[in-house]
Amino acid sequence: MTAAEESAFAALSERHRRELHVHCYRMLASFDEADDAVQETFLRAWRARESVEGSSVLRAWLYRIATNVCLDMLRRSSRQVSKMHSFAEVPWLQPYPDRLLDEVAPDEDQPDAVVVERETIELLFLAAVQVLPPRQRAALIARDVLGWSARETASLLETSVAAANSALQRARATMQGHLPARREDWSAGEPSAEEQALLVRFIDAHERCDAAAAVAIAAQDIRVTMPPNPHCFEGLDGLLPLLERAFGENRDGDWRLVPTRANRMPAAASYLRRPGDSEFRAFKLDVLRVEGGVVAEITTFGAALFPAFGLAATRSAAS
């Protein structure tokens, strides 16, 4: 390649970075590890740039490299969930900011790139695919998420069409036991009015440290998990002690919550100002699953990914 050709190759490859990151995230369920996987993908691609046969096949070629990088990472870690009752079994699970998902969208130059739909990025889907062996996981994502053909999937996995189809069939059978029926009314990412209203009430209850108001919007069988911690709290009996501890221990402190979106779901970023402190400091991120007009599940993450969400580490008392 000439210097000009190498520059063009780098520019074209870079345009696929976000969708490759989402692909690696689906494979690994970790935002941070997806970062590492994409970096390794671009390194391998650059080293093998002479072998690519033109820009028309670049995207599929990059996906093949990214998939192999993820398979290598999963092989090294031997990480697979044997069962999935709750997100507590997936300690490496991390959220994905919607503001970055929105960067993966179709345009006139990328007609085969698609909007990241909720049912393929929601935490429940991400956790469920962790039950699958790595190659079955890759086959399912290629066929049922990316919409690739059997032949394209076989090429992605560097195997025969029959083997790719067999992996897909086994993956689909396993997933049926770990996912509910797909919800027809899921959108491509716009929050529903119901979700927006519940998020407002969730934020208000927590800022006022009002346990009764928080319980009023919770399902009777609500589930709360806190990856990477192995705890799983179920039902209102499990929720109440958490609220009492959060509100009680910090009753002399103040909470400020900021609405956001993660994995096409409503979320709230919490900041805590402790007694004697002049600023609110990043504390946690709650991702809500809403069903039947109530909060059915809360997945609580730490504040490490606040920068990826465009959230500051601190907030002033005036903000």
Side-chain angles (χ1 to χ4, degrees):
M1 280 188 176
T2 65
E5 288 172 331
E6 289 183 347
S7 178
F9 170 85
L12 285 171
S13 298
E14 186 64 30
R15 290 177 57 193
H16 299 287
R17 179 180 290 274
R18 181 56 57 198
E19 62 175 307
L20 290 170
H21 192 270
V22 173
H23 176 62
C24 293
Y25 173 72
R26 287 194 183 103
M27 287 286 294
L28 304 169
S30 165
F31 186 94
D32 290 335
E33 290 182 8
D35 276 346
D36 295 339
V38 171
Q39 289 300 107
E40 177 63 20
T41 295
F42 277 81
L43 180 60
R44 292 188 190 184
W46 181 255
R47 288 171 176 168
R49 62 190 180 279
E50 298 284 353
S51 66
V52 69
E53 299 176 352
S55 59
S56 62
V57 298
L58 178 63
R59 181 173 180 263
W61 183 71
L62 289 171
Y63 265 93
R64 186 180 307 120
I65 296 173
T67 300
N68 282 319
V69 167
C70 291
L71 292 175
D72 288 345
M73 292 173 69
L74 291 168
R75 243 179 251 117
R76 287 195 299 270
S77 66
S78 299
R79 193 174 68 190
Q80 181 187 338
V81 180
S82 58
K83 60 182 178 64
M84 208 279 291
H85 169 69
S86 76
F87 301 151
E89 281 88 45
V90 192
W92 55 89
L93 182 67
Q94 291 182 315
Y96 204 105
D98 272 24
R99 74 188 194 100
L100 301 183
L101 292 174
D102 292 337
E103 294 179 7
V104 185
D107 60 42
E108 60 183 8
D109 298 319
Q110 285 181 254
D112 49 356
V114 296
V115 173
V116 180
E117 294 182 348
R118 176 168 177 169
E119 63 185 6
T120 70
I121 201 70
E122 196 185 53
L123 293 175
L124 181 59
F125 177 83
L126 267 293
V129 297
Q130 302 305 298
V131 177
L132 300 175
R135 290 181 69 80
Q136 289 185 29
R137 193 182 310 176
L140 180 86
I141 291 171
R143 291 295 301 277
D144 291 355
V145 176
L146 299 177
W148 288 22
S149 68
R151 186 177 298 279
E152 289 169 328
T153 302
S155 176
L156 179 80
L157 296 175
E158 299 177 335
T159 189
S160 67
V161 171
N165 282 338
S166 176
L168 175 65
Q169 290 168 3
R170 292 196 300 274
R172 284 173 173 170
T174 300
M175 290 291 276
Q176 285 178 357
H178 290 86
L179 285 177
R182 302 225 172 187
R183 286 174 274 181
E184 296 291 335
D185 59 347
W186 273 359
S187 70
E190 287 299 318
S192 69
E194 176 183 73
E195 287 178 336
Q196 290 176 310
L198 277 173
L199 183 60
V200 169
R201 293 176 65 187
F202 179 89
I203 289 173
D204 177 66
H206 284 71
E207 289 190 337
R208 292 188 295 106
C209 293
D210 188 337
V215 168
I217 59 172
Q220 290 290 323
D221 59 350
I222 188 172
R223 176 182 293 163
V224 182
T225 52
M226 305 174 178
N229 297 312
H231 312 305
C232 179
F233 304 90
E234 299 191 78
L236 295 181
D237 289 342
L239 177 65
L240 280 169
L242 293 178
L243 295 174
E244 290 170 1
R245 184 161 68 246
F247 296 162
E249 287 183 359
N250 301 300
R251 76 172 66 246
D252 294 329
D254 297 316
W255 290 99
R256 288 292 181 271
L257 276 67
V258 177
T260 185
R261 300 279 297 177
N263 300 76
R264 301 303 192 201
M265 304 164 72
S270 293
Y271 292 80
L272 177 63
R273 183 177 64 180
R274 298 185 185 278
D277 201 346
S278 61
E279 292 184 308
F280 290 87
R281 303 189 183 278
F283 192 82
K284 64 184 175 72
L285 179 78
D286 291 311
V287 183
L288 313 182
R289 179 167 61 85
V290 174
E291 283 188 2
V294 291
V295 179
E297 188 161 15
I298 303 172
T299 311
T300 300
F301 299 97
L305 287 178
F306 270 38
F309 281 81
L311 295 165
T314 61
R315 293 178 67 85
S316 69
S319 63

